[in-house]
Amino acid sequence: MNAILALEDGTWFQGVSAGAPGETTGEVVFNTSMTGYQEILTDPSYAGQIVTMTAPQIGNYGVAAADTESSRPQVAGFVMRDASPVSSNWRSTGTLRDYLVRHNIVAIGDIDTRQLTKVCGRPRDAGVIATGSVEPSELIERARRVPHMEGSDLVKDVTTAEAYDFETSLARCGHRRQLRYRAAAPRRAHAQGRRLRLRHQDQHPAPARRLRLQGPGVSGVHPRREVMAWQPDGIFLSNGPGDPAAVTYAIQNIKELIDGEVRCSASVSVTS
């Protein structure tokens, strides 16, 4: 099926549909990772964005339940040079295309992602991906009407709805192998018996999995939830989507945590 990606500056690319049919809009960004496309797709910090992968072939090792960073894909759209039709990996539970279709993620393949990367690194590069019989000029006009990311609070759209025990969440979402490995992993003395609370956007992010392997109990906490009643030994803050300046409640909460002398750490992510 035909697909077109159009940018607000008038640039457009013709390719083929590599995911669900339809139309999607968002801020166009790129990621230079050679692997980890499923983690990128499910990373809540990419909410509202159309992600371009610069690696030449994406999807060649399929998808696996244990490779997600949240309960579902978070990206607005996905762009690839060559979308692999096969998945060669003993851990794979399906192809990338089937995964995108199942979660209604519009994607485009067979375009020059290197050329796209050259033009999508500027401030506010909004774009539209549409499949089927579409006119590029119409899509360019729609891209120009995409709301700015500035002032957008997207955290409230992707945050976990309630507090939960992290180990239970891992087992439910296919991370049993990691939990078995935890018994053999070296436990650090200062971590035993400790409880960490994560203020983050969705379930089982990679930093929390790494923390859990070191020994401390981990729980996920809603960003607006009062965490001091839990009497945690530490707070781990994840990155999130949208404009940080718009998330005033989180900024205030973090200030109160620091003033309360709770040990805080943070996950930092840089996107282009």
Side-chain angles (χ1 to χ4, degrees):
M1 182 186 297
N2 177 69
I4 289 178
L5 166 65
L7 305 180
E8 62 174 330
D9 70 350
T11 305
W12 61 276
F13 299 82
Q14 184 168 14
V16 297
S17 174
E23 181 178 311
T24 189
T25 64
E27 181 183 49
V28 183
V29 299
F30 64 88
N31 188 294
T32 60
S33 300
M34 299 291 289
T35 61
Y37 51 81
Q38 190 177 353
E39 289 88 340
I40 292 166
L41 283 167
T42 55
D43 184 347
S45 65
Y46 279 120
Q49 295 180 320
I50 296 173
V51 179
T52 303
M53 300 299 296
T54 62
Q57 187 178 70
I58 300 297
N60 53 333
Y61 57 83
V63 295
D67 291 344
T68 59
E69 291 297 300
S70 63
S71 57
R72 59 183 173 80
Q74 305 285 350
V75 300
F78 204 51
V79 182
M80 297 164 279
R81 171 64 183 91
D82 179 16
S84 177
V86 298
S87 56
S88 178
N89 177 11
W90 66 271
R91 298 171 62 250
S92 174
T93 57
T95 66
L96 175 60
R97 182 185 183 89
D98 289 344
Y99 181 77
L100 294 171
V101 171
R102 183 166 68 253
H103 291 283
N104 200 33
I105 301 298
V106 180
I108 184 173
D110 200 24
I111 71 168
D112 187 346
T113 52
R114 290 186 294 180
Q115 178 62 29
L116 174 59
T117 300
K118 291 180 180 179
V119 299
C120 74
R122 301 164 301 197
R124 196 187 180 275
D125 278 304
V128 177
I129 302 175
T131 63
S133 180
V134 290
E135 285 294 329
S137 58
E138 295 179 4
L139 297 183
I140 291 170
E141 289 303 315
R142 293 178 203 170
R144 290 170 177 166
R145 295 194 296 268
V146 173
H148 287 223
M149 188 67 75
E150 292 81 1
S152 298
D153 175 9
L154 300 182
V155 170
K156 63 181 181 350
D157 297 329
V158 300
T159 188
T160 183
E162 59 185 13
Y164 61 88
D165 179 76
F166 193 76
E167 187 160 341
T168 301
S169 175
L170 281 174
R172 184 171 60 250
C173 297
H175 293 272
R176 292 181 178 85
R177 177 175 296 273
Q178 283 192 324
L179 293 176
R180 290 197 297 270
Y181 170 76
R182 176 173 54 82
R187 283 179 170 235
R188 298 182 179 177
H190 69 271
Q192 295 188 26
R194 299 295 181 90
R195 294 294 299 178
L196 297 179
R197 306 296 174 191
L198 283 89
R199 297 164 62 83
H200 66 87
Q201 276 62 52
D202 212 303
Q203 298 174 0
H204 48 85
R209 295 200 291 270
R210 301 282 77 78
L211 286 170
R212 189 64 190 92
L213 292 178
Q214 299 304 319
V218 179
S219 297
V221 181
H222 189 286
R224 294 184 176 89
R225 182 181 294 272
E226 175 58 58
V227 298
M228 295 308 294
W230 294 67
Q231 297 182 334
D233 294 290
I235 302 291
F236 190 89
L237 307 165
S238 80
N239 54 306
D243 183 1
V247 194
T248 54
Y249 52 87
I251 296 172
Q252 182 59 37
N253 287 345
I254 293 169
K255 288 180 178 179
E256 293 174 2
L257 289 172
I258 294 174
D259 291 341
E261 299 183 351
V262 178
R263 296 186 184 122
C264 295
S265 184
S267 171
V268 178
S269 177
V270 178
T271 61
S272 299

